[in-house]
Amino acid sequence: MTVPEHLASGGCPYAGRPGAAPLYGTAVSDDPHGLYARMRAEHGPVAPIELEPGVEGWLVIGYQEMLDLTRNEQLFSKDSRHWRVPREGRLRADSPLVPMTMWRPTLQSMDGAEHHRLSTAVGEALGRIDHRWLRETTEAAATALIESWGPDGTADLVAQFTRRLPLLVFTMLLDLPEEDGPRLLGMITGMVDSGEAAQRSAAEFGSMLAALVGQRRARPGEDLTSWLLAHPAGLSDEEVVHNLMVLLVAGNESTINWIGNTVRLLLTDRRFRTSLTGGRATVADALDEVLWRDPPVQNFPGRWATSDTVLGGQYISAGDMLVLGLAGANDDPSVHGTEGLSGNRAHLAWGAGRHVCPAKDPARLIVETAVETLLHCLPDLQLAVPAHELTWRPSPWSRALTSLPVLYSAFAPPRPAAPAAPVTPERTSWTPQPLPSSAPTDSTPSEPTSPPRTSGSALADLRRRLSSLVGWWSGR
């Protein structure tokens, strides 16, 4: 290995990284695809970045280099305690990087056998979720939200739909007492929103989960917390609390963004709408298109080099932080074939290697059901503003719209419950319908099909609880 001259002479590792791009501010939100293309042209598949002023890192935007990074945890560890920046006193105590990178006893922070133990427990607990129940819960939550909107035929799908629906579903997954549902919604909302309330909400959320874990340890039920506690891996109460926080907070954010970005694609992308009109594409295809083009998490921290090495032609020093450029790696021209991306799930939106997201299958079911329900209930849904006026949050991590204003005139009532029947995988398609003359777009979705629903008092009680939570959220 050839050591760069400035390092061989004892120089500062960061001083030798000319042209480091800031991974903060509006550049990463306004035109991320252009930014990654410029990085690739100037630096190759691994580019020097600033995570914040004075804090250096590397952004991995090569597809093969991403696979190399994520498959070698001996050289590129998930344990952030390897990071030299905080060891050298260069990370502010109030830095927004602290909550993103601090070590916790979770599957995200572990390597080797400990990661395998935690990821097995989390994956198998998630695997116990009944998919029929999850679909029915998501549909009931989506319908309750839509029914809560005012009579003027306008809505902001980010504020009134995408940011609320995952929280409603997670409340049901934890099987919280009905009176605790509003508390959970308020605390997670406070954590996601910036400001002075964020840290207080995080502390309250941790305390609530700790109390919940204690209750489930004494009286197990049929819920996610109880399944984690009962797993043969023997998770401690602290491990269950922290892994639940990871699932709920990270899962909430990515699900929010995936729903919003998919609806945006369906309402704005003429190429994709034309394909759907011809019956060659489905809502599931739209979900995959988003995971390639605008994944809900565009960059993810991180990996830390355990020794000096070379990756993508760049000299990486021990203790360097490497950020997974999920969107940038998906943009790598070397992986785009002549047939395009339709039906191709080789994207890196969920990461790769042993640390691939364990909740990707439940997340897909939630998002697909949410989009299908929205299109069923509002068959003439359309954008309320020209597509170019939509704006993105200035986040280096999330690919998220600030708002998604829509118009609608027709409301289709929820589908009645059908007798119980086996659920089989189904791909749902829709075709555009004519819009009112005032519509700023030229086509919108119509009613999809879906598997039959389960009837009975349990489903009625579920819908009642969700309507009650939505009513609390709407101030009714």
Side-chain angles (χ1 to χ4, degrees):
M1 179 188 301
T2 302
V3 180
E5 181 179 350
H6 73 282
L7 292 178
S9 60
C12 171
Y14 187 48
R17 300 184 189 174
L23 201 70
Y24 54 85
T26 58
V28 73
S29 59
D30 290 349
D31 182 20
H33 298 288
L35 175 65
Y36 304 140
R38 291 191 297 273
M39 286 182 174
R40 183 175 287 105
E42 185 173 353
H43 300 288
V46 179
I49 55 172
E50 272 196 329
L51 295 156
E52 63 182 30
V55 177
E56 74 278 10
W58 301 97
L59 184 66
V60 181
I61 52 177
Y63 189 94
Q64 184 58 51
E65 287 72 19
M66 180 77 74
L67 296 179
D68 295 340
L69 176 78
T70 55
R71 291 172 177 173
N72 190 344
E73 62 184 28
Q74 288 76 31
L75 189 54
F76 301 109
S77 173
K78 284 290 291 182
D79 190 335
S80 62
R81 291 173 293 189
H82 290 284
W83 195 14
R84 57 185 173 79
V85 169
R87 290 205 310 265
E88 295 168 0
R90 294 191 288 118
L91 187 66
R92 306 188 326 268
D94 62 347
S95 167
L97 294 172
V98 171
M100 298 292 296
T101 58
M102 67 181 294
W103 184 90
R104 299 181 180 91
T106 73
L107 73 170
Q108 283 191 346
S109 299
M110 301 288 193
D111 297 318
E114 276 302 287
H115 170 263
H116 178 73
R117 182 178 71 91
L118 294 176
S119 63
T120 298
V122 170
E124 292 182 359
L126 290 170
R128 294 183 64 174
I129 298 171
D130 182 85
H131 281 197
R132 178 193 294 276
W133 175 90
L134 186 58
R135 182 179 290 276
E136 290 169 347
T137 299
T138 303
E139 183 176 271
T143 302
L145 285 170
I146 296 168
E147 290 177 331
S148 73
W149 300 345
D152 60 354
T154 65
D156 176 1
L157 290 186
V158 170
Q160 296 174 262
F161 190 75
T162 68
R163 294 208 72 84
R164 297 184 174 188
L165 184 139
L167 299 185
L168 294 172
V169 176
F170 295 157
T171 299
M172 299 295 105
L173 273 173
L174 293 178
D175 193 24
L176 290 174
E178 199 162 341
E179 62 272 16
D180 285 345
R183 290 180 57 222
L184 175 68
L185 301 182
M187 284 184 286
I188 297 185
T189 300
M191 291 174 63
V192 173
D193 294 341
S194 59
E196 296 180 359
Q199 291 191 8
R200 183 175 67 253
S201 295
E204 292 175 355
F205 186 39
S207 297
M208 181 182 187
L209 288 179
L212 175 65
V213 168
Q215 294 165 7
R216 294 294 190 266
R217 179 74 77 179
R219 295 181 299 278
E222 288 298 316
D223 58 84
L224 190 58
T225 306
S226 299
W227 296 335
L228 283 172
L229 288 168
H231 194 273
L235 274 64
S236 68
D237 287 9
E238 181 186 21
E239 287 174 331
V240 173
V241 167
H242 282 285
N243 282 282
L244 281 176
M245 290 187 74
V246 167
L247 286 173
L248 294 174
V249 177
N252 178 67
E253 183 70 12
S254 59
T255 305
I256 286 169
N257 301 343
W258 197 5
I259 296 171
N261 295 355
T262 300
V263 176
R264 170 189 170 272
L265 173 71
L266 296 177
L267 297 183
T268 64
D269 192 317
R270 184 182 300 275
R271 172 190 54 83
F272 203 82
R273 287 204 313 272
T274 301
S275 181
L276 285 167
T277 305
R280 298 185 303 277
T282 68
V283 169
D285 293 322
L287 301 183
D288 291 326
E289 179 84 358
V290 166
L291 292 179
W292 273 105
R293 300 297 187 188
D294 286 305
V297 178
Q298 59 177 330
N299 299 303
F300 190 79
R303 295 296 178 101
W304 287 270
T306 58
S307 61
D308 295 349
T309 187
V310 172
L311 181 67
Q314 299 283 10
Y315 184 90
I316 310 296
S317 298
D320 277 2
M321 178 178 174
L322 299 101
V323 175
L324 279 65
L326 306 177
N330 282 349
D331 269 347
D332 190 336
S334 68
V335 299
H336 294 184
T338 57
E339 299 300 320
L341 304 174
S342 179
N344 185 339
R345 294 186 180 177
H347 57 76
L348 297 175
W350 302 120
R354 294 183 180 180
H355 284 269
V356 68
C357 176
K360 61 183 185 302
D361 292 333
R364 173 176 287 273
L365 183 55
I366 292 171
V367 173
E368 186 167 2
T369 303
V371 174
E372 289 177 359
T373 305
L374 182 71
L375 303 181
H376 168 85
C377 290
L378 306 176
D380 65 347
L381 189 69
Q382 59 187 286
L383 278 179
V385 298
H388 69 269
E389 292 185 7
L390 296 174
T391 57
W392 301 89
R393 281 168 45 194
S395 168
W397 317 115
S398 296
R399 183 61 171 161
L401 291 163
T402 58
S403 64
L404 187 56
V406 294
L407 302 172
Y408 58 92
S409 60
F411 176 80
R415 287 161 283 201
V423 177
T424 56
E426 183 169 13
R427 292 170 67 81
T428 303
S429 61
W430 55 269
T431 54
Q433 292 184 353
L435 295 181
S437 58
S438 60
T441 57
D442 57 356
S443 64
T444 52
S446 65
E447 176 183 347
T449 61
S450 65
R453 275 31 180 192
T454 302
S455 60
S457 59
L459 184 55
D461 181 64
L462 171 66
R463 290 172 173 168
R464 180 191 60 78
R465 290 186 63 186
L466 287 166
S467 294
S468 176
L469 284 171
V470 169
W472 168 85
W473 212 338
S474 303
R476 299 198 305 268

